[in-house]
Amino acid sequence: MAMAIRVFLLLLFFLSSTNIGYSLFEDQVGLMDWHQQYIGKVKHALFHTQKTGRKRVLVSTEENVVASLDLRHGEIFWRHVLGTNDVVDGLDIALGKYVITLSSDGSILRAWNLPDGQMVWETSLQGSKTSKSILYISKNLKADKDDLILVFGKGSLHAVSGIDGEVLWRKDFAGESSIEVSHIIQSTDKIYAAGFVGSSKFYVYGLNADTGKLLKDDHTILPCDTFGELLSVSGDKFVVLDKMRSKILTINIKNGEISYKQKLISDLIKDSSGQAVILPSRLPELFALRIDSHVLTIKVTNEDDLVLVDKINNAAAVSDALLISEGQHAFAFIQHEGSNIHLFVKDVNDWNGDLLKESIIIDHQRGNIEKIFINNYVRTDRSYGFRALMVMEDHSLLLVQQGEIVWSREDGLASVVDVTTSELPVEKEGVSVAKVEQNLFEWLKGHVLKLKGTLMIASPEDVVAIQALRLRSSEKSKMTRDHNGFRKLLIVLTRAGKVFALHTGDGRVVWSILLHTLRKTEVCEHPVGLNIYQWQVPHHHALDENPSILVVGRCGPSLAAPAALSFIDAYTGKELNSLRLAHTIAQIIPLPYTDSTEQRLHLIIDTDQHAYLYPRTPEAIGILQREFSNVYWYSVEADNGIVRGHALKSNCIHQIVDEYCFDFRDLWSIVFPSESEKIIATVTRKSNEVVHTQAKVMTDYDVMYKYVSNNILFVANAAPKATGEIGTATPEEAWLVIYIIDTVTGRILHRMTHHGCQGPVHAVFSENWVVYHYFNLRAHRYEVSVIEVYDQSRADNKDVWKFVLGKHNLTSPISSYYRPEVTTKSQSYFFTHSVKAIEVTLTSKGITSKQLLIGTIGDQVLALDKRFLDPRRTLNPSQAEKEEGIIPLTDSLPIISQSYITHSLKVEGLRGIVTVPAKLESTSLVFAYGVDLFFTQIAPSRTYDSLTEDFSYALLLLTIVALVAAIFVTWVLSERKDLQEKWK
């Protein structure tokens, strides 16, 4: 009987352990993570709506993505994310089955298979100078004939076969008066290349289409300099503005002969006061001219005269012409009228009638329409219908058909520039947000499915049902805080100036707002979003006040551009206030102080060496004056190789008194020698990082004390010749110099040189250690190094009697002005991958072990235990070191496939990783962003402080019942045995 009990207990243990191993994989997919795919802001679009096959639209975007989208639902059929510098310049279709892309300034031509996106061929095009790029594909009517692809780039014209990408011939224009080709024209057996030399000399070259041999060339000098791009209105006619933008020049090419005419814009429209711009829309015998908020459609006659066709008010965008039948072209334009959008489709040759006129209501938070692409289809009554693909100001993509939005894509989320988080509201008493309870049958069905999963007898359909059941029953999508702190809002700022709040439970958009301070206007032509900060976090008034965030933007990439601030409610997305600043923004310093309303104080540094305090309230001034002598910050001038430390000095001396403006003084400066070093990377600790203990117990119960300070800066310098791409310098010409600097005093705490190494350098600073990644030219491998800094001034606090008698200095204040006695430990390891980003996990109390989150070149996120980067690792660790957890030394860091927290997914175009502590100490929340978004929860030391969501309570209850039954049976058998022995 005892043997039977042991076998039963072993069976129960086996079942419980198999449940733990099984529950980690397929039936947990999507429970703790989510992945969203985007493409970015569309630049080019081509419809492919043949009768056979799937209807799709082919696009290229500003995120260097080439994709095929389902025209019915907007889903991605296939996509390819090209390199960061591989910008797509042109997109077209060849042979009816290949998608042709031109990228990298006209140097790389690729063909992709239209149905599945597989690359068919790739051709590298050579050239001798930098120039604009043009992609032109001549359409042959015969299906068996090759499509000739003409490409101008790098100062050369190439003729490429559409079948295999072979370069048939090449004509170099670098020596031909340095012409900048603007257009390519093809006739039956000739090719004409037209363009400018300078801004007034117009050239035309005639080439043999088969050999590329120069047949003739002609040029003329225009009577004035030109402005803007040359626009083709037919095969041999072009229009361009003069430099003053007061005249339109019409250039005609007939058999290579050049003639031109010019006409004043004032002759076309009398009251034109604004700056004229020719829109890039390609219309046969027409072109569109924008003046202020008006768009003029102008016809070019056979005599090269210009005739005003129509004046469109409040026109937002004009499409290219679309051939709908032989000799009939249509184009579309958009008019804004409040929240309504009016879509017009007109015949180019019949302006009086409308082929289509529709009104659509579009969310004003999407902004204006920037681009429109149209496609036609045949209705059941044999008339033509039209669908329009619209690119919005917030980078979203919409398909409109029959006056309705068929689908939309939030592709602005492909260009996230900064991220912060916000807590969700507390669930108030009497307000239940729980879902309706399931009925008894569903409850029983769910438990049967879970039991089948526990016993490993679930079919694939059952696994899908279990996953769907868990997703439905999960509380992760509630709009209130949870006990473990897993539910939060990820508030992201995009390049378009739009702010999104994403729920960490499922990644849905809770709210979004397009900030008016970051919209393109006449005052602010090139707005850019800079950063997003937590502005007000009302911990003590969480039930009746909402937190708010601060968004900082600028009207241009230059530091001298005007700046703007926006304050947004974190729960509703409502803009509470906005400010157009009279000063510039060079740096933003969040201070560790809050006022009575729990608004955080910020210093904004301008380019004129002034510091401005926000919020601008008397209470904030009072707080700053009390802490005046404790405010320090630093600035890095990478171009000049200077790091400076600053402190506040006094109020600004202006003609108008501003009590919130302060002058500051330079406390120290470090000037690196420009002939030998150049700053390539800097990193410091996160201000919200929590350090659990300063002491670190070593082998044999020895203790070392971490040097923990928020005022430490890591600086990586490279040799001037080693600042470029890998391979541009020899090992003898390359070196990295690493500094750890105290930013209050400017004291260099540690300096180290890596000879034969170069950047790029990616680093992360946490507690008392820094980890950085670089390339070793001598070993031809990437390396990762670690430096740990320890405080020697507390090394004497190891005597127990000193603690008993109180003769220790552990409670004495730490000041950067005291010369620290520090020691460092360092070690380097080889690493397999190139790196895009490095981050470290954060937990609420800092107790849990750290993991490094490494964004690899393959756009995945690898979790690497910090113990692998312990500088005290040795080849043969002692028994005490093994007990401490020190891993034996190897020259390379291990890459374990199970350590990828993104699993088999990719975060295409990975740019950054953000970690956020949960309330549960074991768990850290991770958000990775690029073209895609990815979110997950990780537990570096496992979930030692909680049970997992899928913990089998039924199996636990079964185990308890079985143990109680076994105890009872054993007791009965034991009593019977004792009774029998007594009767003997």
Side-chain angles (χ1 to χ4, degrees):
M1 180 58 68
M3 179 62 70
I5 294 173
R6 290 193 190 100
V7 171
F8 181 72
L9 293 176
L10 286 174
L11 177 61
L12 288 178
F13 176 76
F14 173 75
L15 290 176
S16 62
S17 62
T18 53
N19 177 58
I20 293 172
Y22 176 77
S23 63
L24 290 174
F25 297 101
E26 55 181 334
D27 67 334
Q28 277 195 335
V29 173
L31 288 178
M32 295 185 296
D33 55 52
W34 46 263
H35 180 232
Q36 298 176 354
Q37 294 181 320
Y38 299 100
I39 58 175
K41 184 180 181 181
V42 171
K43 295 194 300 184
H44 310 101
L46 293 172
F47 289 91
H48 191 266
T49 55
Q50 297 178 351
K51 292 182 179 179
T52 58
R54 294 178 174 178
K55 291 179 171 59
R56 64 183 74 211
V57 58
L58 305 164
V59 298
S60 67
T61 72
E62 292 184 355
E63 301 298 326
N64 304 340
V65 176
V66 180
S68 174
L69 304 180
D70 180 8
L71 202 54
R72 297 184 184 275
H73 307 290
E75 299 172 349
I76 298 174
F77 279 141
W78 56 260
R79 66 169 182 167
H80 295 283
V81 182
L82 308 183
T84 305
N85 300 320
D86 197 4
V87 179
V88 181
D89 305 312
L91 179 73
D92 209 336
I93 296 178
L95 301 172
K97 59 181 180 180
Y98 293 158
V99 180
I100 306 298
T101 60
L102 179 66
S103 59
S104 294
D105 296 325
S107 62
I108 300 178
L109 189 68
R110 298 183 178 95
W112 315 88
N113 195 29
L114 181 59
D116 56 12
Q118 295 295 319
M119 184 187 293
V120 181
W121 50 259
E122 177 181 276
T123 301
S124 178
L125 305 177
Q126 304 300 320
S128 56
K129 70 170 187 176
T130 302
S131 66
K132 66 175 293 184
S133 57
I134 301 172
L135 174 64
Y136 177 83
I137 301 179
S138 60
K139 306 299 181 185
N140 290 303
L141 299 178
K142 295 182 179 179
D144 59 343
K145 190 175 181 181
D146 188 6
D147 280 352
L148 185 66
I149 302 174
L150 298 175
V151 176
F152 178 77
K154 299 291 184 180
S156 300
L157 180 64
H158 300 79
V160 183
S161 168
I163 296 176
D164 55 9
E166 179 186 358
V167 178
L168 304 177
W169 52 262
R170 170 175 173 259
K171 172 62 178 175
D172 190 359
F173 285 101
E176 308 288 344
S177 303
S178 299
I179 182 176
E180 185 75 21
V181 174
S182 300
H183 285 276
I184 299 172
I185 308 160
Q186 185 179 17
S187 61
T188 54
D189 57 348
K190 293 181 181 179
I191 294 172
Y192 293 98
F196 284 98
V197 175
S199 58
S200 61
K201 294 181 180 180
F202 185 75
Y203 279 73
V204 174
Y205 291 90
L207 307 173
N208 185 291
D210 296 327
T211 63
K213 182 180 178 181
L214 180 64
L215 301 177
K216 64 176 297 185
D217 66 274
D218 190 15
H219 76 278
T220 186
I221 300 176
L222 300 178
C224 56
D225 291 338
T226 57
F227 171 83
E229 293 288 335
L230 186 70
L231 180 68
S232 173
V233 292
S234 68
D236 53 5
K237 294 179 183 178
F238 306 92
V239 292
V240 68
L241 286 173
D242 73 325
K243 190 173 183 180
M244 302 304 295
R245 290 196 269 185
S246 61
K247 292 185 292 187
I248 302 173
L249 280 76
T250 306
I251 304 173
N252 196 342
I253 304 172
K254 289 184 179 179
N255 300 322
E257 303 294 331
I258 305 171
S259 62
Y260 65 86
K261 286 186 178 181
Q262 52 184 332
K263 190 166 187 176
L264 292 171
I265 296 177
S266 59
D267 293 341
L268 295 170
I269 179 171
K270 300 300 181 183
D271 51 349
S272 59
S273 58
Q275 295 281 356
V277 177
I278 294 179
L279 299 182
S281 301
R282 292 172 290 182
L283 308 172
E285 307 297 336
L286 287 175
F287 67 95
L289 182 74
R290 183 186 295 280
I291 302 178
D292 294 333
S293 60
H294 311 297
V295 170
L296 310 179
T297 53
I298 303 171
K299 183 177 180 62
V300 182
T301 65
N302 293 331
E303 293 77 22
D304 296 341
D305 197 11
L306 303 181
V307 178
L308 179 63
V309 177
D310 196 6
K311 177 182 177 182
I312 307 171
N313 298 323
N314 300 320
V318 181
S319 75
D320 288 341
L322 173 69
L323 179 64
I324 56 178
S325 65
E326 186 176 354
Q328 185 180 13
H329 291 80
F331 79 102
F333 64 87
I334 294 291
Q335 276 185 313
H336 283 278
E337 184 181 344
S339 59
N340 290 335
I341 302 297
H342 299 297
L343 171 63
F344 296 88
V345 178
K346 287 184 176 291
D347 190 330
V348 171
N349 299 318
D350 183 12
W351 198 264
N352 295 324
D354 294 326
L355 296 176
L356 180 70
K357 182 179 179 181
E358 294 177 346
S359 294
I360 309 108
I361 298 177
I362 296 180
D363 184 7
H364 69 279
Q365 294 297 345
R366 295 189 183 277
N368 296 325
I369 298 173
E370 294 194 349
K371 291 183 181 180
I372 178 173
F373 307 91
I374 62 170
N375 175 244
N376 67 302
Y377 60 94
V378 180
R379 298 192 181 104
T380 55
D381 60 357
R382 310 305 297 174
S383 63
Y384 287 109
F386 296 89
R387 55 176 71 93
L389 188 70
M390 300 180 183
V391 182
M392 307 301 295
E393 186 180 354
D394 68 341
H395 299 184
S396 60
L397 190 65
L398 281 69
L399 183 72
V400 174
Q401 186 173 332
Q402 297 180 354
E404 299 291 337
I405 298 176
V406 180
W407 51 260
S408 63
R409 294 179 53 88
E410 290 289 357
D411 284 302
L413 288 169
S415 57
V416 173
V417 295
D418 200 12
V419 183
T420 190
T421 59
S422 175
E423 295 288 348
L424 286 165
V426 177
E427 187 172 353
K428 299 180 181 180
E429 294 182 3
V431 180
S432 175
V433 294
K435 296 181 180 179
V436 178
E437 292 292 335
Q438 298 173 327
N439 58 40
L440 180 61
F441 175 75
E442 291 177 343
W443 184 83
L444 291 173
K445 180 181 177 181
H447 278 72
V448 169
L449 286 173
K450 289 181 180 179
L451 182 60
K452 292 173 71 176
T454 301
L455 299 176
M456 300 180 65
I457 59 174
S459 65
E461 293 77 12
D462 292 335
V463 171
V464 173
I466 293 170
Q467 180 182 358
L469 179 65
R470 285 176 174 169
L471 289 173
R472 287 197 304 269
S473 62
S474 175
E475 295 186 351
K476 67 176 185 177
S477 300
K478 292 171 62 176
M479 281 300 298
T480 55
R481 299 183 192 182
D482 61 316
H483 177 70
N484 294 326
F486 295 160
R487 295 197 297 262
K488 297 180 186 292
L489 288 180
L490 292 168
I491 302 178
V492 301
L493 172 65
T494 67
R495 192 181 302 127
K498 192 169 186 178
V499 181
F500 291 86
L502 308 177
H503 197 292
T504 58
D506 52 8
R508 73 181 186 276
V509 177
V510 178
W511 55 259
S512 62
I513 178 172
L514 184 62
L515 299 176
H516 73 276
T517 55
L518 294 180
R519 296 186 65 178
K520 186 176 181 179
T521 61
E522 294 181 359
V523 180
C524 188
E525 293 187 357
H526 302 286
V528 292
L530 296 179
N531 298 101
I532 187 168
Y533 301 92
Q534 291 183 343
W535 175 252
Q536 185 178 22
V537 185
H539 296 288
H540 304 294
H541 311 282
L543 292 176
D544 51 12
E545 289 188 22
N546 293 353
S548 57
I549 58 174
L550 167 66
V551 180
V552 182
R554 223 176 11 221
C555 291
S558 171
L559 291 177
L565 306 179
S566 292
F567 305 90
I568 304 174
D569 189 305
Y571 289 168
T572 64
K574 179 181 179 182
E575 189 172 25
L576 304 174
N577 191 17
S578 63
L579 299 173
R580 291 280 185 183
L581 303 184
H583 57 81
T584 58
I585 293 180
Q587 195 176 358
I588 304 163
I589 314 295
L591 300 176
Y593 314 119
T594 57
D595 60 14
S596 59
T597 62
E598 296 180 86
Q599 286 183 345
R600 188 168 183 177
L601 275 60
H602 292 72
L603 279 180
I604 296 182
I605 314 300
D606 69 358
T607 55
D608 297 325
Q609 303 294 305
H610 300 305
Y612 296 86
L613 176 65
Y614 290 88
R616 298 170 68 88
T617 61
E619 183 184 4
I621 283 289
I623 296 172
L624 184 63
Q625 287 176 346
R626 289 196 300 270
E627 303 291 343
F628 201 82
S629 60
N630 295 324
V631 177
Y632 301 91
W633 72 94
Y634 69 92
S635 62
V636 179
E637 301 174 21
D639 294 336
N640 300 325
I642 302 175
V643 182
R644 304 181 191 273
H646 312 284
L648 296 175
K649 183 171 65 174
S650 61
N651 282 96
C652 299
I653 302 175
H654 291 160
Q655 292 181 353
I656 300 176
V657 178
D658 186 356
E659 60 178 331
Y660 303 102
C661 176
F662 299 89
D663 289 327
F664 58 85
R665 66 185 191 276
D666 293 344
L667 294 177
W668 54 267
S669 63
I670 299 176
V671 181
F672 300 106
S674 58
E675 65 277 3
S676 61
E677 297 181 25
K678 184 177 180 180
I679 300 175
I680 60 172
T682 59
V683 68
T684 188
R685 280 188 61 211
K686 289 186 177 180
S687 59
N688 62 340
E689 184 184 25
V690 177
V691 180
H692 176 63
T693 178
Q694 188 184 6
K696 182 175 181 179
V697 180
M698 303 289 188
T699 309
D700 300 328
Y701 304 102
D702 192 11
V703 178
M704 293 190 72
Y705 293 91
K706 306 172 186 176
Y707 185 77
V708 180
S709 172
N710 286 329
N711 304 315
I712 298 182
L713 175 67
F714 167 83
V715 179
N717 293 352
K721 292 185 178 181
T723 56
E725 295 182 358
I726 295 173
T728 56
T730 64
E732 292 73 21
E733 296 172 332
W735 57 83
L736 286 177
V737 187
I738 305 302
Y739 296 88
I740 296 180
I741 302 171
D742 188 298
T743 58
V744 174
T745 62
R747 187 175 293 115
I748 296 176
L749 302 178
H750 181 68
R751 180 183 184 275
M752 184 168 60
T753 303
H754 297 275
H755 293 284
C757 298
Q758 73 168 100
V761 172
H762 298 275
V764 63
F765 211 133
S766 176
E767 294 190 351
N768 68 317
W769 51 266
V770 61
V771 170
Y772 52 99
H773 176 275
Y774 54 93
F775 188 76
N776 189 323
L777 289 170
R778 297 185 187 276
H780 301 285
R781 298 175 71 177
Y782 288 99
E783 283 188 5
V784 175
S785 293
V786 58
I787 301 174
E788 294 185 354
V789 186
Y790 293 94
D791 188 355
Q792 285 294 96
S793 64
R794 311 202 177 241
D796 296 334
N797 301 316
K798 302 175 183 178
D799 191 349
V800 177
W801 290 107
K802 288 187 176 181
F803 285 96
V804 174
L805 300 175
K807 295 182 179 181
H808 59 82
N809 61 351
L810 291 178
T811 57
S812 60
I814 298 176
S815 174
S816 292
Y817 282 110
Y818 299 147
R819 181 176 293 275
E821 300 177 24
V822 298
T823 183
T824 61
K825 295 180 179 294
S826 61
Q827 184 67 272
S828 297
Y829 305 90
F830 289 124
F831 191 67
T832 306
H833 297 295
S834 175
V835 166
K836 288 187 172 182
I838 300 181
E839 193 52 82
V840 65
T841 55
L842 297 178
T843 55
S844 58
K845 304 298 181 183
I847 301 173
T848 306
S849 301
K850 300 284 187 180
Q851 277 188 343
L852 289 169
L853 302 176
I854 302 174
T856 66
I857 193 65
D859 291 325
Q860 293 185 296
V861 181
L862 173 71
L864 184 64
D865 197 315
K866 171 59 176 63
R867 292 185 302 160
F868 289 108
L869 285 158
D870 192 328
R872 299 188 302 121
R873 288 177 63 185
T874 59
L875 289 173
N876 297 305
S878 62
Q879 184 61 33
E881 289 175 332
K882 291 179 181 179
E883 293 175 358
E884 186 185 338
I886 294 179
I887 302 172
L889 179 64
T890 56
D891 62 346
S892 299
L893 295 174
I895 305 297
I896 305 171
S897 57
Q898 290 85 354
S899 298
Y900 285 100
I901 65 173
T902 47
H903 315 302
S904 60
L905 304 173
K906 283 188 176 182
V907 186
E908 295 282 4
L910 178 67
R911 291 192 302 274
I913 304 171
V914 178
T915 58
V916 183
K919 289 183 180 178
L920 198 66
E921 169 57 26
S922 64
T923 307
S924 181
L925 311 180
V926 180
F927 178 63
Y929 60 91
V931 176
D932 295 346
L933 304 181
F934 178 81
F935 175 85
T936 190
Q937 305 170 12
I938 62 173
S941 300
R942 309 237 180 224
T943 52
Y944 57 85
D945 51 357
S946 66
L947 296 174
T948 58
E949 287 187 0
D950 60 334
F951 181 80
S952 180
Y953 293 95
L955 186 60
L956 176 63
L957 181 61
L958 180 63
T959 304
I960 294 173
V961 171
L963 288 174
V964 171
I967 292 172
F968 179 76
V969 170
T970 304
W971 178 75
V972 170
L973 294 176
S974 177
E975 290 292 326
R976 183 179 297 176
K977 183 178 180 180
D978 290 342
L979 182 61
Q980 290 177 353
E981 288 180 353
K982 290 179 179 179
W983 280 100
K984 288 182 179 179

